[in-house]
Amino acid sequence: MSSIDVINGGILTTIQDSGRYGYQELGIPTSGVMDDYNYRLANILVGNKLDEAVLEMTYFGPTLKFNEDLTLAITGSDMNPKINGQPAPMFETIKVKAGDTLQFGKVNEGVRGYLAFGGSIDVPVVNGSKSTHIKTKMGGIDGRALKPKDTLNIVGSKDKTMRRIPEKYLPKFNHCNLLRVVLGPQDDYFTEKGIHDLFRSGGYQVTKDFDRMGIRLKGTSIEHKETADIISDGTTFGSIQVPANGQPIILVADRQTTGGYTKIGNVITPDLYKLANMSFLDKVLFQKVTIEEAQKATLDYRNRFETIKKESVI
């Protein structure tokens, strides 16, 4: 087992994996990574299973000191990573030696970055997941973000394959994103004009109110037929709630388990990762797709990682 000393935890660095599913009926949020795409790329690069836990970094990453040799990979937003003061590459396998220090700075673009280690982060599995949910103090290290003097223990992997993500698969950070949406489950609560405006009014801007729970948008008011209230029902990553003011809210990883506002639609799985790196004044455009189109796009998205895994070996 390898150990890593946390010198500085960064602004918000948490342990996350693919999420804690099957417990929403008990009021337990799913949590998990915000950016599934960069999360999976990071695990591919170090030879892990695609759902292995990683560090999710927000705006300003941590400073870590390695006590043993280890492999790692950095994906997502560029936070100016440096190893022993020298620039470190992103989107490729990195070997570090005992005594090396990895330091991150402020993000250049986007919001979140991901750091995967070759092996498994040794923290308890809580309800099937290592993901951190800070509000309930569940998962990760005592249910909180990393802080100085923490120690991360890694059960090392035997995979020594060096990999690099081909350029054609590298994510692009845009200040205007197209998000494909399947209507429902309460689209019948909205007028034809309301549904038209969601897709045809010129898009919506991200407000200052965005975090791991949800992203509040501002734009043309989406018109209800009568009420914005429903009997609370389940939420999903990408649910688009529309309260009485007609301004949509996209629910994300740490969302509440149920909600009493009408949901006009849901962002489809292959587009969810775009939400992780949107910030104040960024813009979203919604595009209506059918369930069949969403299913095909999701299958293509899942299969893409097998192709990336093969093509990334150096």
Side-chain angles (χ1 to χ4, degrees):
M1 185 177 294
S2 303
S3 67
I4 302 169
D5 295 330
V6 179
I7 309 303
N8 187 315
I11 289 181
L12 179 65
T13 303
T14 58
I15 295 171
Q16 301 290 346
D17 57 22
S18 56
R20 186 171 285 110
Y21 288 90
Y23 298 91
Q24 280 190 241
E25 66 182 60
L26 303 176
I28 298 174
T30 58
S31 304
V33 293
M34 283 283 288
D35 182 343
D36 178 78
Y37 188 75
N38 279 290
Y39 163 60
R40 289 169 179 259
L41 293 186
N43 274 322
I44 284 173
L45 288 168
V46 293
N48 288 344
K49 294 180 179 179
L50 295 186
D51 60 354
E52 188 57 70
V54 300
L55 295 185
E56 179 179 273
M57 307 173 289
T58 309
Y59 285 121
F60 198 106
T63 299
L64 308 173
K65 183 177 181 181
F66 301 93
N67 297 316
E68 286 84 24
D69 295 359
L70 201 63
T71 59
L72 56 85
I74 305 161
T75 62
S77 298
D78 182 2
M79 296 182 183
N80 298 298
K82 293 181 180 179
I83 296 176
N84 302 328
Q86 299 300 312
M90 294 183 61
F91 296 100
E92 64 180 76
T93 312
I94 301 171
K95 291 183 178 180
V96 293
K97 297 185 178 298
D100 284 352
T101 298
L102 171 62
Q103 182 177 23
F104 292 88
K106 183 180 178 182
V107 70
N108 283 331
E109 58 180 354
V111 176
R112 295 176 174 87
Y114 292 86
L115 174 58
F117 305 105
S120 175
I121 301 175
D122 187 29
V123 293
V125 176
V126 182
N127 291 337
S129 173
K130 297 179 181 179
S131 288
T132 307
H133 186 254
I134 291 176
K135 289 192 175 182
T136 58
K137 298 182 179 179
M138 182 181 293
I141 299 178
D142 300 327
R144 58 168 172 78
L146 263 61
K147 65 181 183 180
K149 298 184 180 180
D150 279 344
T151 298
L152 292 172
N153 292 313
I154 310 296
V155 180
S157 166
K158 295 181 180 179
D159 190 311
K160 304 300 180 185
T161 306
M162 301 298 288
R163 298 177 172 88
R164 182 183 297 115
I165 302 298
E167 186 173 354
K168 62 185 176 180
Y169 298 118
L170 295 181
K172 294 179 174 58
F173 298 98
N174 300 309
H175 293 290
C176 182
N177 285 291
L178 179 66
L179 303 176
R180 289 167 289 180
V181 171
V182 172
L183 282 175
Q186 286 96 33
D187 52 305
D188 57 329
Y189 275 61
F190 298 87
T191 64
E192 288 186 17
K193 180 181 184 303
I195 293 175
H196 176 274
D197 287 343
L198 175 70
F199 298 111
R200 301 294 182 185
S201 64
Y204 292 81
Q205 276 191 324
V206 177
T207 69
K208 292 181 180 179
D209 297 322
F210 66 95
D211 57 17
R212 279 181 50 90
M213 280 192 68
I215 301 171
R216 288 183 179 270
L217 303 176
K218 182 179 180 181
T220 301
S221 179
I222 299 171
E223 186 178 84
H224 295 85
K225 288 179 180 176
E226 295 180 9
T227 179
D229 299 322
I230 58 171
I231 297 173
S232 291
D233 65 1
T235 63
T236 63
F237 198 144
S239 289
I240 305 172
Q241 285 189 331
V242 185
N245 66 3
Q247 300 300 305
I249 305 167
I250 306 178
L251 304 183
V252 287
D254 284 350
R255 66 197 177 275
Q256 68 274 27
T257 57
T258 63
Y261 291 138
T262 46
K263 294 178 288 296
I264 194 170
N266 209 99
V267 179
I268 72 171
T269 298
D271 291 349
L272 292 176
Y273 77 93
K274 299 176 183 178
L275 299 170
N277 287 294
M278 296 195 324
S279 56
F280 181 46
L281 297 183
D282 283 354
K283 191 173 184 179
V284 299
L285 299 169
F286 294 113
Q287 177 185 350
K288 180 182 174 182
V289 294
T290 65
I291 291 176
E292 291 75 20
E293 289 170 330
Q295 289 172 333
K296 182 181 184 306
T298 299
L299 284 173
D300 291 344
Y301 175 76
R302 298 297 189 203
N303 291 335
R304 188 187 316 166
F305 294 105
E306 290 304 316
T307 303
I308 295 174
K309 192 182 297 186
K310 295 174 184 176
E311 294 185 13
S312 65
V313 177
I314 299 175

